[in-house]
Amino acid sequence: MHATTPVPYRVLARRRETADTVTLDLVPAAGPLRPFRPGQYAMLYAFGTGEIPASVSGISGDTLGHTVRAVGKVSEALCRAERGDWIGARGPYGTVWQTPPAGSDVLIVSGGIGLAPLRPLIEEVLDRAKEFGTISVLAGYRNPGEQLFLADLPRWRSRAHVHVTVDHPEPGWPGATGLVTGLLDSAGYRPDRCAAYLCGPEVMMRATARDLLRRGVPADRIRASLERNMRCATAWCGHCQLGPVLVCRDGPVFGWDHAEGLLSTPER
């Protein structure tokens, strides 16, 4: 079988996260794809419609979790999939979230659906929490209805500092209000020993990285996922080119010492 041929996966479970976002747990129909690592992505194929890149949001043996927001024909078709339906998958593709060095304080910052690619890293870090210092997860959303993985939060909060903020609170909202960078003061971390991971809108990642640099976090200890315009996953189509790199092949995870310059490249 050619490496770009999707293999069949079955929908084991479907969880609605928000009004337009679902998480699908997929199990292989025959042989699984090669093991995925946090930060990588698959090309998911909705039969008869097309395929899109989707970061892995859960890894449990051969079971893959993918969190998909309905923003186009293919993603809408994937979001309509029900338990027992078939989806094609190929991968894994892309670079990984490098595991923090032992003894590091871990700071994970997301904006919107950017929490999905970070979720496997959060699970891995929490499973090995004794190896690290303070672990903080900061999540920002436009409104409370956009929150993801609500079922995970109590477990995460038992082993990490988890803070959520929204731009537009609703009556009764108990959390913080404002940009996710406003939570950086609430996270306990030593700048020189911090390993930071960012995923979300580019403006949010730029602002967060700029703030962390100002606080003394070295650029090479900040990592960001740039998921701009990926389409083929094989570096053939060129849609995801950012300066000298093709994000689908060379990314999507980059160190900020590299990513900062790439983000100055205008979108095509």
Side-chain angles (χ1 to χ4, degrees), residues 39-62:
Q40 292 187 303
Y41 67 98
M43 295 298 292
L44 297 185
Y45 190 88
F47 293 110
T49 305
E51 66 176 357
I52 57 171
S55 295
V56 64
S57 64
I59 304 170
S60 179
D62 291 336

Side-chain angles (χ1 to χ4, degrees), residues 152-231:
D152 292 336
L153 293 185
R155 181 169 48 82
W156 291 359
R157 283 184 166 130
S158 70
R159 286 175 283 176
H161 301 285
V162 180
H163 302 281
V164 179
T165 186
V166 299
D167 296 336
H168 306 289
E170 297 171 354
W173 168 247
T177 301
L179 301 177
V180 73
T181 49
L183 298 176
L184 290 174
D185 285 333
S186 63
Y189 58 90
R190 297 160 291 178
D192 61 330
R193 303 191 66 178
C194 176
Y197 302 85
L198 318 178
C199 190
E202 290 182 4
V203 64
M204 164 256 158
M205 291 194 291
R206 286 195 194 95
T208 304
R210 186 167 54 244
D211 205 330
L212 291 175
L213 292 171
R214 181 178 60 78
R215 293 165 186 258
V217 179
D220 62 357
R221 293 181 69 96
I222 302 171
R223 303 195 70 78
S225 184
L226 316 181
E227 301 183 358
R228 194 192 282 192
N229 294 335
M230 294 193 300
R231 292 194 183 180

Side-chain angles (χ1 to χ4, degrees), residues 52-265:
I52 57 171
S55 295
V56 64
S57 64
I59 304 170
S60 179
D62 291 336
T63 302
L64 300 176
H66 289 280
T67 301
V68 181
R69 172 171 289 169
V71 294
K73 289 184 178 179
V74 179
S75 56
E76 289 171 356
L78 291 170
C79 285
R80 287 195 300 270
E82 298 287 350
R83 182 176 180 180
D85 286 349
W86 297 96
I87 287 173
R90 58 184 174 96
Y93 296 110
T95 50
V96 306
W97 297 115
Q98 291 182 351
T99 303
S104 297
D105 291 332
V106 183
L107 177 63
I108 296 171
V109 187
S110 70
I113 200 170
L115 186 60
L118 290 163
R119 183 173 177 239
L121 174 69
I122 294 170
E123 297 290 355
E124 180 175 300
V125 168
L126 294 182
D127 284 345
R128 300 167 53 187
K130 292 182 179 179
E131 300 178 27
F132 309 114
T134 300
I135 301 171
S136 300
V137 179
L138 311 180
Y141 300 97
R142 286 181 297 184
N143 58 67
E146 291 189 349
Q147 292 181 89
L148 301 175
F149 313 127
L150 291 175
D152 292 336
L153 293 185
R155 181 169 48 82
W156 291 359
R157 283 184 166 130
S158 70
R159 286 175 283 176
H161 301 285
V162 180
H163 302 281
V164 179
T165 186
V166 299
D167 296 336
H168 306 289
E170 297 171 354
W173 168 247
T177 301
L179 301 177
V180 73
T181 49
L183 298 176
L184 290 174
D185 285 333
S186 63
Y189 58 90
R190 297 160 291 178
D192 61 330
R193 303 191 66 178
C194 176
Y197 302 85
L198 318 178
C199 190
E202 290 182 4
V203 64
M204 164 256 158
M205 291 194 291
R206 286 195 194 95
T208 304
R210 186 167 54 244
D211 205 330
L212 291 175
L213 292 171
R214 181 178 60 78
R215 293 165 186 258
V217 179
D220 62 357
R221 293 181 69 96
I222 302 171
R223 303 195 70 78
S225 184
L226 316 181
E227 301 183 358
R228 194 192 282 192
N229 294 335
M230 294 193 300
R231 292 194 183 180
C232 71
T234 54
W236 289 351
C237 74
H239 280 90
C240 64
Q241 183 170 4
L242 276 179
V245 309
L246 292 162
V247 176
C248 72
R249 180 193 63 194
D250 305 315
V253 177
F254 295 91
W256 192 254
D257 50 340
H258 193 191
E260 184 175 21
L262 296 176
L263 287 180
S264 65
T265 303

Side-chain angles (χ1 to χ4, degrees), residues 6-27:
V7 301
Y9 272 66
R10 182 171 56 84
V11 178
L12 177 66
R14 176 184 186 272
R15 295 182 297 281
R16 178 163 292 283
E17 303 286 353
T18 72
D20 61 1
T21 303
V22 303
T23 294
L24 302 174
D25 290 338
L26 307 177
V27 292

